[in-house]
Amino acid sequence: MAELVFFSGTMDCGKSTLALQMDHNHGARGRVGLIFTKMDRAGTNVLSSRLGLSTGALEVGDDLDFWEEIVGRATAGTRIDYLICDEAQFYTCDQVEQLARIVDEMDVDVFAFGITADFRTELFPGSKRLIELADRVQVLQVEALCWCGRRATTNARVLDGVMVVEGEQVVVGDTKPGTTGLVEYEVLCRRHYMRRMTSHAAKAAAISPEVLPFDLDVCPLPPLPITQAD
């Protein structure tokens, strides 16, 4: 029985590397598949890993109908056993539903890979729909690490060295034309995400290892709003 499987995690946890490995493993067993991606850091029509591995892929636009695409290829005599769908967080909800239909009605495996939440810790629409529809959601076992050494659970956006929590949901790569300043991303543990403490901020603060973990003066949080008592 075919499955819709969503492999999720933060940046740097090996999603694209696993996508490439799965394509290799299935191809080595004589299975035939297609690779899709959207807005990969290396450009269009390519699936790339931070380890330097890459392969050609079909670029997913918002107007792509997966159902029509796969049915059309199958009707033309193309054998398709599985789909590798990278950067799936950027897919539309309709496209995720089309992938589920392909699994159910065409018995084609779909392996989707993507980041679950954005830099505001809010779910991407595509990831949310995948969580709702997938037969399995698998968090990758290779843990990305925060600069402090703890397990990273969030993706932080850094603008000119300062962490930001407002802005467009999708800003791909290290920079984006029209964006003021340098846009970067960094994975953080929840504690340092909540305290807006990136590796750059930590170095600037010159934190001593002797500082107790509850010393909030190192990186103070914004003051709570004052409300009038009843």
Side-chain angles (χ1 to χ4, degrees), residues 135-152:
D135 296 296
R136 288 188 290 126
V137 176
Q138 188 166 327
V139 178
L140 298 194
Q141 295 180 357
V142 177
E143 295 183 350
L145 298 178
C146 177
W147 60 265
C148 68
R150 293 186 179 90
R151 176 174 175 265

Side-chain angles (χ1 to χ4, degrees), residues 201-214:
K203 291 177 182 178
I207 300 177
S208 168
E210 301 300 324
V211 175
L212 293 175
F214 50 79

Side-chain angles (χ1 to χ4, degrees), residues 46-116:
V46 62
L47 188 162
S48 68
S49 165
R50 294 180 189 274
L51 296 182
L53 304 173
S54 65
T55 190
L58 299 170
E59 189 72 16
V60 177
D62 288 344
D63 58 347
L64 174 67
D65 187 311
F66 278 105
W67 175 257
E68 292 184 356
E69 177 74 17
I70 302 308
V71 168
R73 289 173 179 266
T75 302
T78 301
R79 174 185 166 188
I80 302 173
D81 298 314
Y82 65 93
L83 303 181
I84 299 289
C85 297
D86 199 29
E87 305 292 355
Q89 71 272 11
F90 297 140
Y91 296 5
T92 68
C93 294
D94 286 343
Q95 288 172 333
V96 173
E97 292 174 8
Q98 292 156 14
L99 292 173
R101 185 182 180 189
I102 290 169
V103 173
D104 295 339
E105 300 189 25
M106 299 187 67
D107 202 32
V108 172
D109 284 309
V110 173
F111 307 114
F113 303 80
I115 296 170
T116 306

Side-chain angles (χ1 to χ4, degrees), residues 29-52:
R29 294 297 178 264
R31 304 193 80 206
V32 180
L34 294 174
I35 299 176
F36 291 90
T37 190
K38 184 172 185 178
M39 296 188 288
D40 188 277
R41 70 184 70 85
T44 58
N45 298 108
V46 62
L47 188 162
S48 68
S49 165
R50 294 180 189 274
L51 296 182

Side-chain angles (χ1 to χ4, degrees), residues 168 170-183:
E168 298 179 27
V170 179
V171 178
V172 180
D174 294 327
T175 61
K176 178 183 178 183
T179 300
T180 302
L182 178 64
V183 178

Side-chain angles (χ1 to χ4, degrees), residues 11 118-120 154-158 163-164 184-188 193 198:
M11 298 182 302
D118 64 16
F119 71 105
R120 300 165 300 185
T154 57
N155 306 294
R157 180 181 294 174
V158 181
M163 180 178 157
V164 295
E184 302 170 298
Y185 290 91
E186 182 176 351
V187 291
L188 299 174
Y193 176 88
T198 64

